Amino acid sequence: MPRNKLLVTGGAGFIGANFVHYWTRNYRRDRVVVLDALTYAGNPASLEPLQSLPAFRFVHGDIRDATLVRALLRDERINTIVHFAAESHVDRSIHSPDAFIHTNVLGTCNLLQAAREAWEADREATDFRFHHVSTDEVYGTLSRDDPAFVETSPYDPSSPYAASKAASDHFVRAYRRTYGLPVSISNCSNNYGPYHFPEKLIPLMIVNALSGAKLPVYGDGSNVRDWLFVEDHCRAIDRILRQGTVGETYNIGGGAEISNLDLVRNLCRLLDEAIGASRALQGTYPDCPAARGSSCADLITFVADRPGHDWRYAMDAAKLRNATGFQPDENLVSGLRKTVQWYLANEGWWRPLLDARYAKWVRQNYPDAGRT
Ligand code: NAD
Ligand code: TDX
């Protein structure tokens, strides 16, 4: 197989970092260049183990910087762009939509334009692909009995985040239809696993429970999400790059729907078990209720609902399965267990993120959240 040269945007973020670990482990001969602006969500520590690999390069920069992106595509002779870079947190998009418009819409357009120029300049020589990583949230919300989203479900985004991702998806398709750019798109459900920034539901609940802080559940906790372990998402993107059809969109899902409240209760059970069974962990996390023989579930607190909160997401992933044979390796039980174990073993990764700047932002925006 020829040596691929990948540009991974947003590779210091949650899914991007997992993808880079996955790719460098499985395709050792490939060149992997990460372009990341290191916003609050980008963490070079997530890529630390890779810095010594000769095939790996980290570039600190913005996807909106046309000169930089053009130079990278040209100088590195990139043939595969995997585009993760985005503002990704729905709550932040509700408070401050601007960054979402700038990065998710304008940034994606800038990348598309640079990719088009690079591809047109070297059309014969390269097997080119622009893969755009998108979300189930572009389809809007489902009620209890609605069938899961398919790739042809109408777009109906609720939050500024979802609207910005929907806009970027439309631009990717327009570049295919208008200029012939070899693109693919994947729309995935909620991911979880290592290197997940502790503002999102699962890592927030874990780190709060360990420090005895409240576990803020929005509304009545009945909202349903479909969860996919992040490494399964990386495997699915790999399949789409190798076996997917250019110009197509693929839904990716975990087939693991659960209400937020049940999910948080499951996490509490896993933490109770792990802390209850280890004197060392009880010593490390003395403020966690499980260290005192109580349950982390005692910390669950219902708080004001998210405005425009989508009630349910569910993905029909049959198209991807039929085209590539992809099935998730992890189920919710095994994936959550791995995730809890990872956070218990990697406090050195998440503790520095709970710094004064971030804590201040949370206090301002979530006065009810009870975070220290
Ligand atoms: P994340 O917020 O953890 O990481 C985003 C990364 O992009 C960060 O490293 C950040 O520094 C970087 N970035 C932001 N703006 C940038 C810019 N202008 N230029 C360069 N880099 C920039 O996000 P994530 O959860 O890893 O999500 C990655 C992608 O997957 C996003 O496009 C998101 O919409 C999509 N997605 C996420 C999920 C999920 O559950 N997390 C599910 C489906 C799809
Ligand atoms: O403190 C919380 N309490 C709570 O009840 C937080 C942070 C969230 N929630 C709820 C809101 C959602 O129903 O939990 C659910 C999950 O919330 P998030 O972790 O913020 O994820 P979500 O809004 O579903 O979006 C995620 O999945 C789709 C990612 O952040 C997006 O980037 C991705 O596109």
Side-chain angles (χ1 to χ4, degrees):
M1 181 172 156
R3 188 173 188 250
N4 279 309
K5 300 179 181 73
L6 277 73
L7 178 69
V8 180
T9 71
F14 163 46
I15 309 175
N18 279 282
F19 181 81
V20 174
H21 282 280
Y22 168 89
W23 201 271
T24 51
R25 213 170 43 241
N26 287 284
Y27 301 101
R28 289 173 189 273
R29 295 183 61 246
D30 284 358
R31 174 79 164 156
V32 177
V33 178
V34 165
L35 173 62
D36 198 296
L38 297 181
T39 67
Y40 79 96
N43 189 348
S46 306
L47 300 171
E48 192 53 43
L50 306 175
Q51 297 292 355
S52 57
L53 298 180
F56 175 78
R57 177 181 171 199
F58 178 80
V59 177
H60 182 196
D62 198 303
I63 57 167
R64 292 168 296 170
D65 182 341
T67 310
L68 172 65
V69 173
R70 274 199 205 105
L72 274 180
L73 294 181
R74 184 190 59 232
D75 298 346
E76 292 282 353
R77 298 187 61 81
I78 297 293
N79 68 350
T80 305
I81 300 171
V82 189
H83 177 33
F84 293 97
E87 289 291 337
S88 68
H89 191 35
V90 172
D91 294 324
R92 284 179 187 256
S93 84
I94 293 167
H95 291 287
S96 324
D98 282 11
F100 289 74
I101 299 163
H102 282 277
T103 284
N104 301 3
V105 186
L106 300 177
T108 300
C109 290
N110 187 53
L111 263 183
L112 282 166
Q113 186 54 26
R116 178 190 160 206
E117 289 166 16
W119 171 66
E120 286 180 345
D122 208 6
R123 202 185 282 235
E124 305 306 320
T126 59
D127 186 11
F128 199 87
R129 180 77 73 89
F130 183 109
H131 183 76
H132 178 59
V133 180
S134 192
T135 171
D136 54 3
E137 304 203 11
V138 298
Y139 299 124
T141 187
L142 296 170
S143 61
R144 191 184 305 276
D145 299 322
D146 283 333
F149 296 122
V150 290
E151 288 77 0
T152 50
S153 294
Y155 274 32
D156 188 18
S158 299
S159 67
Y161 162 70
S164 68
K165 293 297 290 186
S168 65
D169 291 9
H170 291 319
F171 274 102
V172 174
R173 280 192 198 99
Y175 267 70
R176 171 71 187 158
R177 290 190 201 155
T178 307
Y179 308 111
L181 187 70
V183 304
S184 45
I185 300 177
S186 51
N187 294 83
C188 189
S189 59
N190 284 58
N191 283 215
Y192 66 103
Y195 303 117
H196 204 180
F197 192 85
E199 65 181 350
K200 308 282 170 62
L201 180 70
I202 288 180
L204 178 70
M205 296 296 147
I206 295 173
V207 306
N208 274 16
L210 291 176
S211 36
K214 288 178 184 167
L215 307 182
V217 172
Y218 298 165
D220 62 4
S222 65
N223 301 64
V224 172
R225 295 289 181 272
D226 169 47
W227 293 94
L228 180 72
F229 191 65
V230 63
E231 196 168 320
D232 280 323
H233 188 184
C234 299
R235 290 177 44 247
I237 294 172
D238 180 3
R239 294 283 183 102
I240 294 169
L241 289 172
R242 288 187 297 124
Q243 295 164 253
T245 303
V246 167
E248 290 295 321
T249 294
Y250 298 91
N251 280 355
I252 309 173
E257 285 184 57
I258 187 169
S259 74
N260 292 337
L261 184 56
D262 284 344
L263 179 68
V264 174
R265 285 187 177 137
N266 281 343
L267 279 173
C268 289
R269 258 194 300 275
L270 288 170
L271 285 164
D272 290 348
E273 270 171 38
I275 308 270
S278 161
R279 280 214 179 277
L281 288 174
Q282 289 162 21
T284 311
Y285 301 109
D287 296 327
C288 177
R292 302 189 300 269
S294 309
S295 171
C296 295
D298 296 346
L299 298 170
I300 292 174
T301 308
F302 295 95
V303 299
D305 208 352
R306 172 187 281 174
H309 196 176
D310 286 332
W311 193 71
R312 172 180 166 235
Y313 303 136
M315 291 300 249
D316 182 335
K319 179 175 171 183
L320 176 66
R321 192 168 54 247
N322 294 337
T324 71
F326 173 78
Q327 302 260 34
D329 278 349
E330 303 294 341
N331 58 40
L332 196 54
V333 175
S334 63
L336 285 181
R337 201 172 285 281
K338 280 189 174 178
T339 304
V340 167
Q341 289 304 332
W342 190 87
Y343 278 84
L344 288 173
N346 289 279
E347 183 175 348
W349 181 86
W350 56 262
R351 180 67 70 188
L353 303 176
L354 311 179
D355 67 5
R357 190 168 48 108
Y358 177 65
K360 183 170 163 229
W361 182 87
V362 174
R363 269 199 310 276
Q364 280 168 351
N365 291 293
Y366 303 104
D368 291 337
R371 176 183 279 277
T372 50

PDB file of all heavy atoms in Angstrom, residues 43-74:
ATOM      1  N   ASN A  43      -5.214  19.875  23.576  1.00  0.00           N
ATOM      2  CA  ASN A  43      -4.280  19.574  24.656  1.00  0.00           C
ATOM      3  C   ASN A  43      -3.078  18.814  24.105  1.00  0.00           C
ATOM      4  O   ASN A  43      -3.193  17.631  23.771  1.00  0.00           O
ATOM      5  CB  ASN A  43      -5.005  18.739  25.720  1.00  0.00           C
ATOM      6  CG  ASN A  43      -4.179  18.575  26.970  1.00  0.00           C
ATOM      7  OD1 ASN A  43      -2.981  18.888  26.983  1.00  0.00           O
ATOM      8  ND2 ASN A  43      -4.807  18.082  28.012  1.00  0.00           N
ATOM      9  N   PRO A  44      -1.925  19.479  24.025  1.00  0.00           N
ATOM     10  CA  PRO A  44      -0.744  18.798  23.484  1.00  0.00           C
ATOM     11  C   PRO A  44      -0.377  17.559  24.297  1.00  0.00           C
ATOM     12  O   PRO A  44       0.218  16.624  23.757  1.00  0.00           O
ATOM     13  CB  PRO A  44       0.366  19.854  23.596  1.00  0.00           C
ATOM     14  CG  PRO A  44      -0.291  21.134  23.928  1.00  0.00           C
ATOM     15  CD  PRO A  44      -1.671  20.861  24.435  1.00  0.00           C
ATOM     16  N   ALA A  45      -0.779  17.533  25.580  1.00  0.00           N
ATOM     17  CA  ALA A  45      -0.459  16.364  26.412  1.00  0.00           C
ATOM     18  C   ALA A  45      -1.100  15.095  25.856  1.00  0.00           C
ATOM     19  O   ALA A  45      -0.597  13.992  26.070  1.00  0.00           O
ATOM     20  CB  ALA A  45      -0.927  16.603  27.843  1.00  0.00           C
ATOM     21  N   SER A  46      -2.206  15.248  25.121  1.00  0.00           N
ATOM     22  CA  SER A  46      -2.868  14.064  24.563  1.00  0.00           C
ATOM     23  C   SER A  46      -2.028  13.424  23.460  1.00  0.00           C
ATOM     24  O   SER A  46      -2.229  12.263  23.110  1.00  0.00           O
ATOM     25  CB  SER A  46      -4.233  14.450  23.989  1.00  0.00           C
ATOM     26  OG  SER A  46      -5.006  15.120  24.939  1.00  0.00           O
ATOM     27  N   LEU A  47      -1.090  14.201  22.908  1.00  0.00           N
ATOM     28  CA  LEU A  47      -0.258  13.692  21.809  1.00  0.00           C
ATOM     29  C   LEU A  47       1.169  13.405  22.270  1.00  0.00           C
ATOM     30  O   LEU A  47       2.007  12.985  21.460  1.00  0.00           O
ATOM     31  CB  LEU A  47      -0.243  14.711  20.657  1.00  0.00           C
ATOM     32  CG  LEU A  47      -1.609  15.021  20.045  1.00  0.00           C
ATOM     33  CD1 LEU A  47      -1.507  16.191  19.072  1.00  0.00           C
ATOM     34  CD2 LEU A  47      -2.165  13.788  19.327  1.00  0.00           C
ATOM     35  N   GLU A  48       1.428  13.637  23.540  1.00  0.00           N
ATOM     36  CA  GLU A  48       2.785  13.552  24.070  1.00  0.00           C
ATOM     37  C   GLU A  48       3.520  12.260  23.635  1.00  0.00           C
ATOM     38  O   GLU A  48       4.649  12.331  23.130  1.00  0.00           O
ATOM     39  CB  GLU A  48       2.729  13.660  25.603  1.00  0.00           C
ATOM     40  CG  GLU A  48       4.052  13.866  26.300  1.00  0.00           C
ATOM     41  CD  GLU A  48       4.819  15.054  25.740  1.00  0.00           C
ATOM     42  OE1 GLU A  48       4.188  16.099  25.510  1.00  0.00           O
ATOM     43  OE2 GLU A  48       6.040  14.901  25.521  1.00  0.00           O
ATOM     44  N   PRO A  49       2.881  11.094  23.774  1.00  0.00           N
ATOM     45  CA  PRO A  49       3.615   9.861  23.449  1.00  0.00           C
ATOM     46  C   PRO A  49       4.029   9.767  21.977  1.00  0.00           C
ATOM     47  O   PRO A  49       4.856   8.932  21.631  1.00  0.00           O
ATOM     48  CB  PRO A  49       2.617   8.748  23.787  1.00  0.00           C
ATOM     49  CG  PRO A  49       1.537   9.379  24.591  1.00  0.00           C
ATOM     50  CD  PRO A  49       1.523  10.831  24.245  1.00  0.00           C
ATOM     51  N   LEU A  50       3.453  10.625  21.118  1.00  0.00           N
ATOM     52  CA  LEU A  50       3.726  10.501  19.679  1.00  0.00           C
ATOM     53  C   LEU A  50       4.834  11.426  19.206  1.00  0.00           C
ATOM     54  O   LEU A  50       5.320  11.278  18.071  1.00  0.00           O
ATOM     55  CB  LEU A  50       2.451  10.824  18.874  1.00  0.00           C
ATOM     56  CG  LEU A  50       1.219  10.025  19.267  1.00  0.00           C
ATOM     57  CD1 LEU A  50       0.012  10.514  18.502  1.00  0.00           C
ATOM     58  CD2 LEU A  50       1.465   8.546  18.984  1.00  0.00           C
ATOM     59  N   GLN A  51       5.236  12.367  20.056  1.00  0.00           N
ATOM     60  CA  GLN A  51       6.172  13.411  19.608  1.00  0.00           C
ATOM     61  C   GLN A  51       7.480  12.827  19.081  1.00  0.00           C
ATOM     62  O   GLN A  51       8.126  13.424  18.223  1.00  0.00           O
ATOM     63  CB  GLN A  51       6.468  14.396  20.750  1.00  0.00           C
ATOM     64  CG  GLN A  51       5.244  15.176  21.244  1.00  0.00           C
ATOM     65  CD  GLN A  51       4.702  16.180  20.230  1.00  0.00           C
ATOM     66  OE1 GLN A  51       5.285  16.384  19.173  1.00  0.00           O
ATOM     67  NE2 GLN A  51       3.561  16.782  20.534  1.00  0.00           N
ATOM     68  N   SER A  52       7.853  11.658  19.573  1.00  0.00           N
ATOM     69  CA  SER A  52       9.153  11.094  19.166  1.00  0.00           C
ATOM     70  C   SER A  52       9.073  10.312  17.854  1.00  0.00           C
ATOM     71  O   SER A  52      10.102   9.900  17.315  1.00  0.00           O
ATOM     72  CB  SER A  52       9.680  10.180  20.274  1.00  0.00           C
ATOM     73  OG  SER A  52       8.718   9.181  20.522  1.00  0.00           O
ATOM     74  N   LEU A  53       7.869  10.102  17.319  1.00  0.00           N
ATOM     75  CA  LEU A  53       7.760   9.336  16.067  1.00  0.00           C
ATOM     76  C   LEU A  53       8.209  10.202  14.888  1.00  0.00           C
ATOM     77  O   LEU A  53       7.673  11.295  14.694  1.00  0.00           O
ATOM     78  CB  LEU A  53       6.312   8.897  15.814  1.00  0.00           C
ATOM     79  CG  LEU A  53       5.647   7.972  16.828  1.00  0.00           C
ATOM     80  CD1 LEU A  53       4.213   7.665  16.385  1.00  0.00           C
ATOM     81  CD2 LEU A  53       6.447   6.682  16.964  1.00  0.00           C
ATOM     82  N   PRO A  54       9.151   9.732  14.073  1.00  0.00           N
ATOM     83  CA  PRO A  54       9.612  10.553  12.952  1.00  0.00           C
ATOM     84  C   PRO A  54       8.494  10.883  11.952  1.00  0.00           C
ATOM     85  O   PRO A  54       8.524  11.944  11.330  1.00  0.00           O
ATOM     86  CB  PRO A  54      10.685   9.689  12.282  1.00  0.00           C
ATOM     87  CG  PRO A  54      10.931   8.543  13.187  1.00  0.00           C
ATOM     88  CD  PRO A  54       9.838   8.450  14.186  1.00  0.00           C
ATOM     89  N   ALA A  55       7.501  10.006  11.834  1.00  0.00           N
ATOM     90  CA  ALA A  55       6.437  10.230  10.844  1.00  0.00           C
ATOM     91  C   ALA A  55       5.397  11.230  11.332  1.00  0.00           C
ATOM     92  O   ALA A  55       4.501  11.611  10.590  1.00  0.00           O
ATOM     93  CB  ALA A  55       5.755   8.906  10.515  1.00  0.00           C
ATOM     94  N   PHE A  56       5.512  11.668  12.590  1.00  0.00           N
ATOM     95  CA  PHE A  56       4.494  12.542  13.181  1.00  0.00           C
ATOM     96  C   PHE A  56       4.985  13.978  13.251  1.00  0.00           C
ATOM     97  O   PHE A  56       6.138  14.239  13.582  1.00  0.00           O
ATOM     98  CB  PHE A  56       4.156  12.045  14.590  1.00  0.00           C
ATOM     99  CG  PHE A  56       3.216  12.943  15.337  1.00  0.00           C
ATOM    100  CD1 PHE A  56       1.851  12.922  15.068  1.00  0.00           C
ATOM    101  CD2 PHE A  56       3.686  13.835  16.296  1.00  0.00           C
ATOM    102  CE1 PHE A  56       0.979  13.763  15.744  1.00  0.00           C
ATOM    103  CE2 PHE A  56       2.824  14.676  16.974  1.00  0.00           C
ATOM    104  CZ  PHE A  56       1.463  14.639  16.694  1.00  0.00           C
ATOM    105  N   ARG A  57       4.098  14.913  12.930  1.00  0.00           N
ATOM    106  CA  ARG A  57       4.460  16.331  13.062  1.00  0.00           C
ATOM    107  C   ARG A  57       3.265  17.098  13.622  1.00  0.00           C
ATOM    108  O   ARG A  57       2.128  16.924  13.151  1.00  0.00           O
ATOM    109  CB  ARG A  57       4.832  16.900  11.688  1.00  0.00           C
ATOM    110  CG  ARG A  57       5.149  18.387  11.718  1.00  0.00           C
ATOM    111  CD  ARG A  57       5.499  18.918  10.331  1.00  0.00           C
ATOM    112  NE  ARG A  57       5.588  20.365  10.337  1.00  0.00           N
ATOM    113  CZ  ARG A  57       5.520  21.141   9.249  1.00  0.00           C
ATOM    114  NH1 ARG A  57       5.368  20.578   8.052  1.00  0.00           N
ATOM    115  NH2 ARG A  57       5.597  22.445   9.347  1.00  0.00           N
ATOM    116  N   PHE A  58       3.533  17.943  14.615  1.00  0.00           N
ATOM    117  CA  PHE A  58       2.481  18.797  15.163  1.00  0.00           C
ATOM    118  C   PHE A  58       2.682  20.227  14.683  1.00  0.00           C
ATOM    119  O   PHE A  58       3.782  20.779  14.821  1.00  0.00           O
ATOM    120  CB  PHE A  58       2.483  18.771  16.697  1.00  0.00           C
ATOM    121  CG  PHE A  58       1.438  19.680  17.272  1.00  0.00           C
ATOM    122  CD1 PHE A  58       0.114  19.273  17.324  1.00  0.00           C
ATOM    123  CD2 PHE A  58       1.763  20.955  17.710  1.00  0.00           C
ATOM    124  CE1 PHE A  58      -0.869  20.129  17.811  1.00  0.00           C
ATOM    125  CE2 PHE A  58       0.781  21.813  18.199  1.00  0.00           C
ATOM    126  CZ  PHE A  58      -0.540  21.395  18.249  1.00  0.00           C
ATOM    127  N   VAL A  59       1.652  20.830  14.132  1.00  0.00           N
ATOM    128  CA  VAL A  59       1.732  22.225  13.702  1.00  0.00           C
ATOM    129  C   VAL A  59       0.682  23.023  14.482  1.00  0.00           C
ATOM    130  O   VAL A  59      -0.510  22.702  14.430  1.00  0.00           O
ATOM    131  CB  VAL A  59       1.468  22.364  12.182  1.00  0.00           C
ATOM    132  CG1 VAL A  59       1.486  23.831  11.767  1.00  0.00           C
ATOM    133  CG2 VAL A  59       2.472  21.548  11.397  1.00  0.00           C
ATOM    134  N   HIS A  60       1.157  24.025  15.207  1.00  0.00           N
ATOM    135  CA  HIS A  60       0.244  24.874  15.964  1.00  0.00           C
ATOM    136  C   HIS A  60      -0.275  25.962  15.030  1.00  0.00           C
ATOM    137  O   HIS A  60       0.484  26.866  14.650  1.00  0.00           O
ATOM    138  CB  HIS A  60       0.998  25.485  17.163  1.00  0.00           C
ATOM    139  CG  HIS A  60       0.126  26.340  18.022  1.00  0.00           C
ATOM    140  ND1 HIS A  60       0.622  27.227  18.939  1.00  0.00           N
ATOM    141  CD2 HIS A  60      -1.224  26.454  18.100  1.00  0.00           C
ATOM    142  CE1 HIS A  60      -0.369  27.842  19.552  1.00  0.00           C
ATOM    143  NE2 HIS A  60      -1.502  27.396  19.050  1.00  0.00           N
ATOM    144  N   GLY A  61      -1.525  25.877  14.624  1.00  0.00           N
ATOM    145  CA  GLY A  61      -2.050  26.869  13.695  1.00  0.00           C
ATOM    146  C   GLY A  61      -3.538  26.714  13.511  1.00  0.00           C
ATOM    147  O   GLY A  61      -4.153  25.741  13.968  1.00  0.00           O
ATOM    148  N   ASP A  62      -4.093  27.678  12.790  1.00  0.00           N
ATOM    149  CA  ASP A  62      -5.544  27.803  12.677  1.00  0.00           C
ATOM    150  C   ASP A  62      -6.006  27.348  11.288  1.00  0.00           C
ATOM    151  O   ASP A  62      -5.385  27.731  10.283  1.00  0.00           O
ATOM    152  CB  ASP A  62      -5.904  29.292  12.894  1.00  0.00           C
ATOM    153  CG  ASP A  62      -7.362  29.479  13.244  1.00  0.00           C
ATOM    154  OD1 ASP A  62      -8.228  29.042  12.456  1.00  0.00           O
ATOM    155  OD2 ASP A  62      -7.632  30.059  14.304  1.00  0.00           O
ATOM    156  N   ILE A  63      -7.089  26.600  11.233  1.00  0.00           N
ATOM    157  CA  ILE A  63      -7.600  26.163   9.922  1.00  0.00           C
ATOM    158  C   ILE A  63      -8.084  27.352   9.084  1.00  0.00           C
ATOM    159  O   ILE A  63      -8.296  27.218   7.890  1.00  0.00           O
ATOM    160  CB  ILE A  63      -8.725  25.105  10.039  1.00  0.00           C
ATOM    161  CG1 ILE A  63      -9.895  25.631  10.900  1.00  0.00           C
ATOM    162  CG2 ILE A  63      -8.190  23.798  10.586  1.00  0.00           C
ATOM    163  CD1 ILE A  63     -11.162  24.786  10.792  1.00  0.00           C
ATOM    164  N   ARG A  64      -8.257  28.519   9.715  1.00  0.00           N
ATOM    165  CA  ARG A  64      -8.691  29.700   8.943  1.00  0.00           C
ATOM    166  C   ARG A  64      -7.528  30.429   8.304  1.00  0.00           C
ATOM    167  O   ARG A  64      -7.728  31.382   7.561  1.00  0.00           O
ATOM    168  CB  ARG A  64      -9.466  30.660   9.865  1.00  0.00           C
ATOM    169  CG  ARG A  64     -10.800  30.092  10.313  1.00  0.00           C
ATOM    170  CD  ARG A  64     -11.382  30.919  11.428  1.00  0.00           C
ATOM    171  NE  ARG A  64     -10.532  30.861  12.610  1.00  0.00           N
ATOM    172  CZ  ARG A  64     -10.679  31.633  13.676  1.00  0.00           C
ATOM    173  NH1 ARG A  64     -11.640  32.531  13.709  1.00  0.00           N
ATOM    174  NH2 ARG A  64      -9.865  31.514  14.717  1.00  0.00           N
ATOM    175  N   ASP A  65      -6.309  29.983   8.605  1.00  0.00           N
ATOM    176  CA  ASP A  65      -5.116  30.638   8.065  1.00  0.00           C
ATOM    177  C   ASP A  65      -4.811  30.026   6.677  1.00  0.00           C
ATOM    178  O   ASP A  65      -4.186  28.978   6.561  1.00  0.00           O
ATOM    179  CB  ASP A  65      -3.951  30.402   9.047  1.00  0.00           C
ATOM    180  CG  ASP A  65      -2.663  31.075   8.608  1.00  0.00           C
ATOM    181  OD1 ASP A  65      -2.535  31.411   7.409  1.00  0.00           O
ATOM    182  OD2 ASP A  65      -1.777  31.229   9.461  1.00  0.00           O
ATOM    183  N   ALA A  66      -5.287  30.723   5.639  1.00  0.00           N
ATOM    184  CA  ALA A  66      -5.212  30.158   4.280  1.00  0.00           C
ATOM    185  C   ALA A  66      -3.772  29.933   3.852  1.00  0.00           C
ATOM    186  O   ALA A  66      -3.444  28.906   3.219  1.00  0.00           O
ATOM    187  CB  ALA A  66      -5.922  31.096   3.299  1.00  0.00           C
ATOM    188  N   THR A  67      -2.889  30.864   4.185  1.00  0.00           N
ATOM    189  CA  THR A  67      -1.487  30.736   3.761  1.00  0.00           C
ATOM    190  C   THR A  67      -0.864  29.498   4.395  1.00  0.00           C
ATOM    191  O   THR A  67      -0.189  28.701   3.710  1.00  0.00           O
ATOM    192  CB  THR A  67      -0.696  32.004   4.194  1.00  0.00           C
ATOM    193  OG1 THR A  67      -1.437  33.142   3.758  1.00  0.00           O
ATOM    194  CG2 THR A  67       0.688  32.012   3.595  1.00  0.00           C
ATOM    195  N   LEU A  68      -1.098  29.335   5.676  1.00  0.00           N
ATOM    196  CA  LEU A  68      -0.535  28.179   6.389  1.00  0.00           C
ATOM    197  C   LEU A  68      -1.088  26.868   5.828  1.00  0.00           C
ATOM    198  O   LEU A  68      -0.341  25.919   5.557  1.00  0.00           O
ATOM    199  CB  LEU A  68      -0.854  28.286   7.891  1.00  0.00           C
ATOM    200  CG  LEU A  68      -0.504  27.060   8.735  1.00  0.00           C
ATOM    201  CD1 LEU A  68       1.006  26.831   8.766  1.00  0.00           C
ATOM    202  CD2 LEU A  68      -1.040  27.217  10.165  1.00  0.00           C
ATOM    203  N   VAL A  69      -2.397  26.811   5.640  1.00  0.00           N
ATOM    204  CA  VAL A  69      -3.006  25.560   5.184  1.00  0.00           C
ATOM    205  C   VAL A  69      -2.497  25.199   3.781  1.00  0.00           C
ATOM    206  O   VAL A  69      -2.121  24.049   3.506  1.00  0.00           O
ATOM    207  CB  VAL A  69      -4.547  25.652   5.208  1.00  0.00           C
ATOM    208  CG1 VAL A  69      -5.170  24.418   4.586  1.00  0.00           C
ATOM    209  CG2 VAL A  69      -5.049  25.819   6.645  1.00  0.00           C
ATOM    210  N   ARG A  70      -2.432  26.207   2.893  1.00  0.00           N
ATOM    211  CA  ARG A  70      -1.920  25.971   1.531  1.00  0.00           C
ATOM    212  C   ARG A  70      -0.500  25.430   1.579  1.00  0.00           C
ATOM    213  O   ARG A  70      -0.160  24.459   0.891  1.00  0.00           O
ATOM    214  CB  ARG A  70      -1.900  27.268   0.739  1.00  0.00           C
ATOM    215  CG  ARG A  70      -3.190  27.572   0.076  1.00  0.00           C
ATOM    216  CD  ARG A  70      -2.956  28.606  -1.052  1.00  0.00           C
ATOM    217  NE  ARG A  70      -4.198  29.296  -1.261  1.00  0.00           N
ATOM    218  CZ  ARG A  70      -4.455  30.541  -0.863  1.00  0.00           C
ATOM    219  NH1 ARG A  70      -3.539  31.268  -0.271  1.00  0.00           N
ATOM    220  NH2 ARG A  70      -5.631  31.075  -1.091  1.00  0.00           N
ATOM    221  N   ALA A  71       0.344  26.064   2.400  1.00  0.00           N
ATOM    222  CA  ALA A  71       1.751  25.653   2.478  1.00  0.00           C
ATOM    223  C   ALA A  71       1.870  24.221   3.005  1.00  0.00           C
ATOM    224  O   ALA A  71       2.660  23.415   2.486  1.00  0.00           O
ATOM    225  CB  ALA A  71       2.524  26.620   3.376  1.00  0.00           C
ATOM    226  N   LEU A  72       1.055  23.891   4.006  1.00  0.00           N
ATOM    227  CA  LEU A  72       1.125  22.537   4.576  1.00  0.00           C
ATOM    228  C   LEU A  72       0.721  21.485   3.542  1.00  0.00           C
ATOM    229  O   LEU A  72       1.378  20.451   3.401  1.00  0.00           O
ATOM    230  CB  LEU A  72       0.174  22.425   5.776  1.00  0.00           C
ATOM    231  CG  LEU A  72       0.703  22.854   7.132  1.00  0.00           C
ATOM    232  CD1 LEU A  72      -0.377  22.680   8.190  1.00  0.00           C
ATOM    233  CD2 LEU A  72       1.938  22.031   7.499  1.00  0.00           C
ATOM    234  N   LEU A  73      -0.364  21.761   2.836  1.00  0.00           N
ATOM    235  CA  LEU A  73      -0.838  20.789   1.842  1.00  0.00           C
ATOM    236  C   LEU A  73       0.221  20.584   0.762  1.00  0.00           C
ATOM    237  O   LEU A  73       0.470  19.461   0.318  1.00  0.00           O
ATOM    238  CB  LEU A  73      -2.152  21.252   1.213  1.00  0.00           C
ATOM    239  CG  LEU A  73      -3.365  21.326   2.147  1.00  0.00           C
ATOM    240  CD1 LEU A  73      -4.607  21.788   1.382  1.00  0.00           C
ATOM    241  CD2 LEU A  73      -3.638  19.988   2.811  1.00  0.00           C
ATOM    242  N   ARG A  74       0.853  21.684   0.369  1.00  0.00           N
ATOM    243  CA  ARG A  74       1.859  21.608  -0.700  1.00  0.00           C
ATOM    244  C   ARG A  74       3.144  20.955  -0.191  1.00  0.00           C
ATOM    245  O   ARG A  74       3.604  19.959  -0.744  1.00  0.00           O
ATOM    246  CB  ARG A  74       2.148  23.028  -1.205  1.00  0.00           C
ATOM    247  CG  ARG A  74       3.104  23.095  -2.397  1.00  0.00           C
ATOM    248  CD  ARG A  74       3.535  24.526  -2.669  1.00  0.00           C
ATOM    249  NE  ARG A  74       4.188  25.109  -1.507  1.00  0.00           N
ATOM    250  CZ  ARG A  74       3.853  26.282  -0.945  1.00  0.00           C
ATOM    251  NH1 ARG A  74       2.870  27.004  -1.442  1.00  0.00           N
ATOM    252  NH2 ARG A  74       4.494  26.738   0.125  1.00  0.00           N
TER     253      ARG A  74
END
